[in-house]
Amino acid sequence: MQNDDLLRLENQLCFPLYAASRLVTRLYQPLLEAHGLTYPQYIVLLILWEQDGLTVSDIGDKAMLSSNTLTPLLKRMQTAELLERARSEFDERKVIIKLTDKGQALKSEVACIPLQLLENSRIDIEKAKQLKSLLDELIGKLA
Amino acid sequence: MQNDDLLRLENQLCFPLYAASRLVTRLYQPLLEAHGLTYPQYIVLLILWEQDGLTVSDIGDKAMLSSNTLTPLLKRMQTAELLERARSEFDERKVIIKLTDKGQALKSEVACIPLQLLENSRIDIEKAKQLKSLLDELIGKLA
DNA sequence: CAAGACTATATCGTGCGCGATAAAAAAGAT
DNA sequence: ATCTTTTTTATCGCGCACGATATAGTCTTG
């Protein structure tokens, strides 16, 4: 493949990744907005629903985000009364994030969303699994 | 699969997409920054190197972006003297984007980047192709 | 040709992402 | 014990993304 071909948009792996990610976010957006959530906030909730009481950097490790993104995001979620932020009493550097009742309760409200999106979009479930496993592998190599 | 499992981060297709897209952007970022480019600006250049003289919405169709994102971005690229923005003389609503010599010249400078990234990351070329085709299919269904 | 509909771009506001840096607490070193 | 290093969170600035809206040019239709 010549350099010229390597620079064609259609031959880039980066662009479909970028485009697909934004398209999927757009798919979630109206459903999440109904619950006052943004997409990254939903990611944080997915993490906290699995394990509550994590520190900011614990969440950061899982979401691949750091404090410059997470601190303001978590503050907004605190303002929305979805979670509480409190310094650890054992290590004052750490901030422990705990879901409020409202944050916990949201779980059952949005539980239907993944399935709903899967059904509404005509996505082949086998191809989705294949895609996910290729993405996980890519992430493993880049993270 | 139960609702609870459907909400586990590890079972979401959306998250690896979001994470992989950001990881790949981070891979490009230092190489692009050396040429004063951001990742979305690079995407716009890829488009214009293929076909110059497009309108804002032509570029938007290809990049899946609209004027609220593109107008400021193109203005920054104009300030960087990579391109010129001029109203069409036939239809004054349209803005024609033309690369400057500097914008054209950048093509040969960044031509090595895709291959360089492919080689530096230990990405299997066959899996990359497979991934791209699955992403293209997904985009086709969602766009 | 005037009024309304439509199209193309621009503007505005909000929320990310993230590099760079700061500040404070904890851990380690001498 | 003091000094240095590391860890953890927060702050700042900039550039996207994008919904909502504005503005101006073009087209359509009576």
Side-chain angles (χ1 to χ4, degrees):
Chain A
M1 191 147 62
Q2 296 301 305
N3 269 346
D4 221 58
D5 285 330
L6 279 167
L7 283 180
R8 294 184 72 81
L9 191 60
E10 66 192 40
N11 292 333
Q12 303 282 325
L13 175 59
C14 66
F15 179 70
L17 259 175
Y18 165 73
S21 173
R22 285 186 297 120
L23 281 171
V24 169
T25 303
R26 281 181 220 177
L27 220 58
Y28 275 83
Q29 200 269 332
L31 299 178
L32 293 174
E33 193 184 26
H35 302 279
L37 290 175
T38 66
Y39 182 78
Q41 287 171 15
Y42 169 70
I43 300 291
V44 167
L45 284 179
L46 289 178
I47 291 167
L48 290 170
W49 286 329
E50 274 186 56
Q51 189 177 353
D52 201 0
L54 295 174
T55 66
V56 174
S57 48
D58 288 337
I59 296 171
D61 289 343
K62 290 173 192 290
M64 298 190 197
L65 291 168
S66 34
S67 66
N68 47 9
T69 301
L70 280 176
T71 298
L73 186 152
L74 291 168
K75 281 184 175 177
R76 281 186 290 271
M77 292 179 77
Q78 183 179 30
T79 302
E81 294 178 351
L82 296 173
L83 49 81
E84 288 298 330
R85 298 160 61 249
R87 289 279 166 184
S88 161
E89 50 179 323
F90 307 108
D91 184 342
E92 295 252 327
R93 290 170 302 182
K94 297 182 178 174
V95 169
I96 309 293
I97 307 297
K98 276 197 198 303
L99 289 169
T100 60
D101 291 349
K102 187 177 169 190
Q104 284 286 0
L106 216 50
K107 184 176 181 179
S108 61
E109 290 182 41
V110 304
C112 56
I113 291 182
L115 201 57
Q116 198 176 335
L117 287 178
L118 213 59
E119 283 167 356
N120 289 3
S121 63
R122 303 151 300 154
I123 296 175
D124 182 316
I125 194 95
E126 272 317 306
K127 286 190 175 168
K129 282 183 185 174
Q130 213 179 329
L131 179 54
K132 183 181 171 332
S133 103
L134 285 168
L135 288 170
D136 285 338
E137 193 175 339
L138 178 64
I139 291 166
K141 290 195 178 173
L142 299 186
Chain B
M1 192 147 60
Q2 294 304 304
N3 268 347
D4 220 60
D5 285 329
L6 278 168
L7 283 180
R8 295 185 71 83
L9 190 61
E10 65 191 40
N11 292 333
Q12 303 282 325
L13 175 59
C14 66
F15 179 70
L17 259 175
Y18 166 73
S21 173
R22 285 185 298 119
L23 281 171
V24 169
T25 304
R26 282 182 220 175
L27 220 58
Y28 275 83
Q29 199 270 332
L31 300 177
L32 293 175
E33 193 184 27
H35 302 279
L37 291 174
T38 66
Y39 183 77
Q41 287 170 16
Y42 170 71
I43 299 292
V44 168
L45 283 180
L46 288 179
I47 291 167
L48 290 170
W49 286 330
E50 273 185 56
Q51 189 179 353
D52 201 0
L54 294 174
T55 67
V56 173
S57 49
D58 288 337
I59 296 171
D61 289 343
K62 291 173 192 287
M64 300 190 195
L65 291 169
S66 35
S67 67
N68 46 10
T69 300
L70 280 177
T71 298
L73 187 152
L74 291 169
K75 281 184 175 177
R76 283 187 289 272
M77 292 178 77
Q78 183 179 30
T79 302
E81 295 177 349
L82 296 174
L83 48 79
E84 289 298 329
R85 299 162 58 251
R87 290 277 165 185
S88 161
E89 52 179 320
F90 308 108
D91 184 341
E92 295 251 328
R93 291 171 302 181
K94 296 183 180 177
V95 170
I96 309 293
I97 307 297
K98 276 196 198 304
L99 288 169
T100 60
D101 290 347
K102 187 178 169 188
Q104 284 286 359
L106 215 51
K107 183 175 182 181
S108 60
E109 291 183 42
V110 304
C112 55
I113 292 183
L115 201 58
Q116 197 175 336
L117 286 178
L118 213 58
E119 284 168 354
N120 289 2
S121 65
R122 302 151 303 155
I123 295 174
D124 183 315
I125 195 96
E126 270 317 308
K127 287 191 174 167
K129 281 183 185 172
Q130 213 179 327
L131 179 54
K132 185 183 169 331
S133 101
L134 285 167
L135 287 170
D136 285 338
E137 193 175 337
L138 178 64
I139 290 166
K141 290 198 177 170
L142 299 185

